[in-house]
Amino acid sequence: MEVVNEAFNTVRQLLKSAVPPCTATIDNPEHYEVRSINPEHSKNILLGYVSKHADSITVGFNDKLGKNNMEQLFSKYLLQKMNEHKRIHIHEMNHQLHADLQEAINHLMRYYNEKNWNLP
Protein backbone atom coordinates (compact mmCIF):
# COMPACT_ATOMS: atom_id res chain seq x y z
CA MET A 1 0.00 0.00 0.00
CA GLU A 2 2.93 2.33 0.63
CA VAL A 3 3.91 2.16 -3.05
CA VAL A 4 0.34 3.11 -4.03
CA ASN A 5 0.31 6.01 -1.56
CA GLU A 6 3.60 7.30 -2.92
CA ALA A 7 2.37 7.08 -6.52
CA PHE A 8 -0.90 8.84 -5.59
CA ASN A 9 0.93 11.64 -3.75
CA THR A 10 3.37 12.09 -6.63
CA VAL A 11 0.65 12.48 -9.25
CA ARG A 12 -1.39 14.67 -6.90
CA GLN A 13 1.58 17.03 -6.59
CA LEU A 14 2.02 17.08 -10.38
CA LEU A 15 -1.63 18.03 -10.83
CA LYS A 16 -1.38 20.65 -8.08
CA SER A 17 1.14 22.48 -10.25
CA ALA A 18 -1.83 23.49 -12.45
CA VAL A 19 -3.65 25.18 -9.55
CA PRO A 20 -4.09 28.08 -10.24
CA PRO A 21 -5.13 28.89 -12.93
CA CYS A 22 -7.10 25.63 -12.77
CA THR A 23 -9.14 24.62 -9.75
CA ALA A 24 -8.98 21.51 -7.58
CA THR A 25 -12.61 20.38 -7.68
CA ILE A 26 -12.09 17.23 -5.61
CA ASP A 27 -9.40 16.96 -2.96
CA ASN A 28 -9.62 14.02 -0.60
CA PRO A 29 -7.33 11.15 0.43
CA GLU A 30 -8.54 8.89 -2.41
CA HIS A 31 -9.22 11.29 -5.29
CA TYR A 32 -7.77 14.55 -6.57
CA GLU A 33 -9.25 16.29 -9.59
CA VAL A 34 -8.29 19.47 -11.42
CA ARG A 35 -10.56 21.33 -13.82
CA SER A 36 -10.43 24.52 -15.76
CA ILE A 37 -13.46 26.48 -14.60
CA ASN A 38 -14.53 29.64 -16.37
CA PRO A 39 -17.94 30.73 -15.02
CA GLU A 40 -18.07 33.60 -17.49
CA HIS A 41 -18.09 31.18 -20.40
CA SER A 42 -19.82 28.26 -18.61
CA LYS A 43 -16.75 26.09 -19.13
CA ASN A 44 -15.82 23.31 -16.76
CA ILE A 45 -13.16 21.24 -18.49
CA LEU A 46 -11.26 18.35 -16.94
CA LEU A 47 -7.50 18.73 -16.93
CA GLY A 48 -6.75 15.54 -15.02
CA TYR A 49 -7.35 13.43 -11.95
CA VAL A 50 -5.81 10.69 -9.86
CA SER A 51 -7.77 8.06 -7.92
CA LYS A 52 -6.33 5.67 -5.36
CA HIS A 53 -7.33 1.99 -5.21
CA ALA A 54 -6.13 -0.84 -2.98
CA ASP A 55 -3.34 -1.97 -5.32
CA SER A 56 -2.98 0.84 -7.87
CA ILE A 57 -3.88 4.36 -8.90
CA THR A 58 -5.74 5.58 -11.94
CA VAL A 59 -4.67 8.75 -13.71
CA GLY A 60 -7.12 10.25 -16.18
CA PHE A 61 -7.16 13.20 -18.53
CA ASN A 62 -9.65 15.05 -20.71
CA ASP A 63 -10.95 12.31 -23.03
CA LYS A 64 -12.41 14.77 -25.56
CA LEU A 65 -9.14 16.15 -26.93
CA GLY A 66 -9.15 14.07 -30.12
CA LYS A 67 -6.50 11.75 -31.49
CA ASN A 68 -4.33 14.43 -33.12
CA ASN A 69 -4.20 16.55 -29.96
CA MET A 70 -3.51 13.48 -27.83
CA GLU A 71 -0.53 12.58 -30.00
CA GLN A 72 0.85 16.10 -29.59
CA LEU A 73 0.16 16.44 -25.86
CA PHE A 74 1.21 13.01 -24.59
CA SER A 75 4.35 10.95 -25.05
CA LYS A 76 4.21 7.66 -26.94
CA TYR A 77 4.92 5.94 -23.64
CA LEU A 78 1.82 7.44 -21.97
CA LEU A 79 -0.34 6.85 -25.04
CA GLN A 80 0.62 3.16 -24.96
CA LYS A 81 -0.36 2.94 -21.31
CA MET A 82 -3.74 4.68 -21.78
CA ASN A 83 -6.93 2.71 -22.18
CA GLU A 84 -9.75 3.83 -24.49
CA HIS A 85 -11.00 6.28 -21.82
CA LYS A 86 -7.59 8.02 -21.63
CA ARG A 87 -6.89 6.45 -18.25
CA ILE A 88 -3.63 4.99 -17.03
CA HIS A 89 -3.51 2.36 -14.29
CA ILE A 90 -0.29 2.53 -12.29
CA HIS A 91 0.83 -0.02 -9.71
CA GLU A 92 4.18 1.62 -9.03
CA MET A 93 5.60 4.96 -10.13
CA ASN A 94 8.81 4.91 -12.13
CA HIS A 95 11.05 7.67 -13.44
CA GLN A 96 9.66 7.49 -16.99
CA LEU A 97 6.04 7.76 -15.83
CA HIS A 98 6.87 10.66 -13.55
CA ALA A 99 8.71 12.61 -16.25
CA ASP A 100 6.09 11.91 -18.93
CA LEU A 101 3.17 12.81 -16.65
CA GLN A 102 4.84 16.11 -15.73
CA GLU A 103 5.47 16.84 -19.39
CA ALA A 104 1.86 15.98 -20.27
CA ILE A 105 0.49 18.35 -17.63
CA ASN A 106 2.78 21.11 -18.89
CA HIS A 107 1.61 20.50 -22.47
CA LEU A 108 -2.03 20.46 -21.36
CA MET A 109 -1.61 23.75 -19.52
CA ARG A 110 -0.17 25.40 -22.63
CA TYR A 111 -2.95 23.91 -24.77
CA TYR A 112 -5.66 25.07 -22.35
CA ASN A 113 -4.12 28.56 -22.27
CA GLU A 114 -4.09 28.71 -26.07
CA LYS A 115 -7.79 27.82 -26.04
CA ASN A 116 -8.46 30.35 -23.24
CA TRP A 117 -9.79 27.54 -21.08
CA ASN A 118 -7.76 28.70 -18.06
CA LEU A 119 -9.03 32.24 -17.86
CA PRO A 120 -10.53 33.06 -14.47
Side-chain angles (χ1 to χ4, degrees):
M1 188 64 172
E2 186 61 33
V3 172
V4 173
N5 287 334
E6 286 178 25
F8 176 83
N9 290 331
T10 297
V11 176
R12 184 171 181 251
Q13 283 304 117
L14 294 175
L15 288 168
K16 276 188 168 191
S17 70
V19 178
C22 292
T23 302
T25 54
I26 300 174
D27 185 1
N28 65 53
E30 287 82 34
H31 191 90
Y32 185 77
E33 180 176 287
V34 174
R35 290 183 174 268
S36 175
I37 298 176
N38 186 335
E40 196 173 296
H41 297 101
S42 301
K43 289 188 179 179
N44 181 336
I45 303 166
L46 177 68
L47 179 83
Y49 70 87
V50 58
S51 293
K52 185 175 12 173
H53 313 289
D55 65 344
S56 66
I57 63 170
T58 300
V59 179
F61 296 100
N62 182 340
D63 63 353
K64 297 176 179 28
L65 293 170
K67 184 179 179 186
N68 290 337
N69 287 328
M70 295 294 292
E71 289 173 352
Q72 292 176 12
L73 297 169
F74 299 98
S75 69
K76 288 181 183 180
Y77 181 70
L78 287 184
L79 289 170
Q80 291 171 350
K81 295 210 162 283
M82 285 182 188
N83 66 18
E84 67 274 7
H85 304 290
K86 310 301 181 257
R87 296 180 189 138
I88 303 167
H89 297 285
I90 301 171
H91 295 280
E92 185 173 351
M93 185 62 66
N94 63 44
H95 178 72
Q96 184 72 49
L97 274 170
H98 185 276
D100 286 14
L101 287 168
Q102 180 64 67
E103 182 179 291
I105 292 166
N106 292 341
H107 287 308
L108 282 166
M109 288 299 296
R110 279 193 295 278
Y111 180 77
Y112 278 38
N113 282 330
E114 289 170 7
K115 298 287 186 186
N116 290 326
W117 292 348
N118 284 336
L119 295 176

